[in-house]
Amino acid sequence: MIIPAYNEAVVPSAEFLRSGALREDAMNQNPDNQKGVGDLTNPPVGDGINSNIGFIISQFPDEWIFLTERLFSEGKIENNSSHMLYKQFMHCTLRPEMVGEVRLWAMFRTQSVGKTVVGALQYGRALATVPKIRQYYQTRPEKRIPEDHCEVILAHQTYGQDAPEGDPENDDAVRMLMARYP
């Protein structure tokens, strides 16, 4: 299975999720900060009214409340107020692991490469629920389903970039997803 991606974040960054509420965020962005006629532009980073995380929450308010309740019940946050979780995220006062939880929550609710990667990583588990496949592997305990049926390749391309080694943030995000969803 090959997952093609072009210059996309695997998991939305905290900075991206916090941005979007300023008026200038709604305008096309200049990639090299030099204004001029005919310059290349990057797309807007928000609507100029809501932060990106605020917009995602507005689309999935019940799920944001469920996230807050889950984190509170697991003892990971001290307050079960979804508004407080939003404020702490926006003001950078959440612990790093909770910022990661918010980023993952947003990843699963947006059109993201990370959601596709997790789906691909879970393919072996889905195959294991098929009765014929389960029956086959019960007679061959030395084999594992994913090794025989799937290989995941994330082809992340950044045309025109000088760094052939890729984006370290995306590399870290993929490692984190692979560890969390084996």
Side-chain angles (χ1 to χ4, degrees), residues 146-162:
E147 292 170 352
D148 283 353
H149 294 283
C150 62
E151 181 176 342
V152 177
I153 300 170
L154 175 60
H156 197 275
Q157 302 165 342
T158 51
Y159 295 110
Q161 302 275 333
D162 290 334

Side-chain angles (χ1 to χ4, degrees), residues 34-45:
Q34 296 179 4
K35 301 191 185 314
V37 178
D39 278 350
L40 294 174
T41 59
N42 289 334
V45 293

Side-chain angles (χ1 to χ4, degrees), residues 46-63:
D47 63 5
I49 299 169
N50 300 298
S51 65
N52 290 315
I53 189 68
F55 176 77
I56 298 167
I57 292 168
S58 75
Q59 302 304 300
F60 304 97
D62 292 341
E63 293 182 28

Side-chain angles (χ1 to χ4, degrees), residues 36-107:
V37 178
D39 278 350
L40 294 174
T41 59
N42 289 334
V45 293
D47 63 5
I49 299 169
N50 300 298
S51 65
N52 290 315
I53 189 68
F55 176 77
I56 298 167
I57 292 168
S58 75
Q59 302 304 300
F60 304 97
D62 292 341
E63 293 182 28
W64 180 253
I65 292 169
F66 295 147
L67 171 70
T68 305
E69 290 172 355
R70 178 177 63 83
L71 295 176
F72 179 72
S73 70
E74 292 173 355
K76 295 180 177 179
I77 58 175
E78 297 164 5
N79 191 317
N80 68 347
S81 164
S82 59
H83 180 68
M84 183 61 73
L85 179 62
Y86 172 79
K87 281 180 63 174
Q88 288 177 328
F89 178 78
M90 292 301 291
H91 296 298
C92 305
T93 58
L94 280 179
R95 294 189 326 268
E97 55 272 11
M98 292 307 95
V99 172
E101 290 288 335
V102 170
R103 290 177 63 205
L104 283 174
W105 180 86
M107 176 197 77

Side-chain angles (χ1 to χ4, degrees), residues 9 26 32-33 41 45 53 91 94-95 113 116 124 135 175 178:
D32 58 6
N33 291 326
T41 59
V45 293
I53 189 68
H91 296 298
L94 280 179
R95 294 189 326 268
V113 176
T116 305
Q135 185 180 38
R175 278 190 212 92
M178 290 177 70

Side-chain angles (χ1 to χ4, degrees), residues 127-149:
L127 283 176
T129 64
V130 178
K132 290 266 187 196
I133 291 177
R134 196 174 2 181
Q135 185 180 38
Y136 174 84
Y137 283 97
Q138 284 175 347
T139 62
R140 292 161 184 86
E142 73 282 355
K143 292 189 168 208
R144 292 179 46 210
I145 292 174
E147 292 170 352
D148 283 353
H149 294 283

Side-chain angles (χ1 to χ4, degrees), residues 3-18:
I3 303 169
Y6 170 72
N7 203 17
E8 301 169 61
V10 174
V11 177
S13 70
E15 293 75 27
F16 170 78
L17 292 171
R18 289 182 185 112

Side-chain angles (χ1 to χ4, degrees), residues 16-27:
F16 170 78
L17 292 171
R18 289 182 185 112
S19 68
L22 301 176
R23 186 172 156 258
E24 55 269 14
D25 290 341
M27 300 178 207

